[in-house]
Amino acid sequence: KKIEIVNYGIGSTNITTIPDRLESGSVKGTETLFPILSRDFDVIFIESMGNNPINIEGADPYKKQVETLDNIVSIIRKNKPKAVIVFVTTISPNKKRYGDGVFDLTPEERVMWAEERIKYFENHINYAKENKIPLLNIFEKSLNDEGDGNIDYLESHDFIHPSPTGIKFISRE
């Protein structure tokens, strides 16, 4: 059987952009991506995008995340009822180093930013469990013995994105 993996991830975007990618397509750099739903697929992985907060003035971002997930799941189930939806969380943030090298933050701000992102990951995990959606829980599996994000799995230039070791870890999972 032929397996094709198409990555519709676009940097610096949050989960609220997925409904448009499903139905209208998107642009990734210089590449135009057709609407996801125009493709024939058996499985779709929905990553938490937890490192990209939802910033909508006056809105509870975590409630908006759940509303968006409801919309995403509904759109997929309506248009591709046989497709398997799998939720994915990525590498856990490291509270001591989050954004180090790209953001000038105090140690307290670093912890606050990491904890904000962790809430998105946990929300994504809880949604999957409550809605009986298969889950690849990289977030929890990437915690170190102290319960913080394993630094080996994070890029040393920003401590946000997965390192080569982190990418291998994600791939194995």
Side-chain angles (χ1 to χ4, degrees):
K1 183 166 183 162
K2 180 182 173 187
I3 296 176
E4 179 182 19
I5 298 173
V6 181
N7 182 351
Y8 271 78
I10 300 173
S12 300
T13 60
N14 64 47
I15 202 151
T16 63
T17 64
I18 292 179
D20 282 342
R21 291 184 215 179
L22 288 168
E23 300 181 302
S24 304
S26 51
V27 175
K28 182 178 181 176
T30 59
E31 180 182 10
T32 298
L33 300 172
F34 292 104
I36 296 169
L37 294 174
S38 71
R39 302 180 81 79
D40 184 27
F41 60 85
D42 299 311
V43 179
I44 184 167
F45 294 88
I46 306 295
E47 209 270 325
S48 60
M49 301 172 76
N51 280 310
N52 298 311
I54 298 170
N55 295 315
I56 300 174
E57 193 165 326
D60 175 339
Y62 308 108
K63 183 178 178 186
K64 181 66 177 173
Q65 180 189 20
V66 169
E67 290 169 358
T68 303
L69 291 172
D70 282 338
N71 189 26
I72 291 166
V73 170
S74 174
I75 290 168
I76 295 168
R77 288 189 173 151
K78 176 183 169 205
N79 291 280
K80 301 283 186 180
K82 293 183 180 182
V84 175
I85 301 170
V86 178
F87 275 25
V88 181
T89 56
T90 194
I91 303 294
S92 173
N94 181 282
K95 294 176 187 173
K96 294 178 189 120
R97 301 296 303 269
Y98 190 83
D100 195 2
V102 289
F103 297 108
D104 185 24
L105 302 171
T106 66
E108 296 78 18
E109 288 170 324
R110 244 175 248 302
V111 169
M112 188 175 71
W113 279 35
E115 287 176 347
E116 177 191 33
R117 274 69 174 173
I118 288 168
K119 286 180 187 176
Y120 284 103
F121 294 127
E122 292 172 342
N123 217 17
H124 198 73
I125 292 164
N126 290 336
Y127 186 96
K129 289 178 179 178
E130 290 169 8
N131 291 279
K132 297 178 176 41
I133 295 172
L135 172 67
L136 290 173
N137 194 342
I138 307 299
F139 168 76
E140 289 181 356
K141 291 180 179 182
S142 67
L143 296 172
N144 62 22
D145 292 339
E146 292 81 40
D148 203 0
N150 185 329
I151 206 84
D152 294 337
Y153 294 149
L154 296 166
E155 273 290 353
S156 60
H157 71 273
D158 66 8
F159 295 94
I160 296 171
H161 297 93
S163 66
T165 302
I167 291 168
K168 286 178 189 172
F169 177 75
I170 293 167
S171 298
R172 280 194 311 269
E173 290 300 317

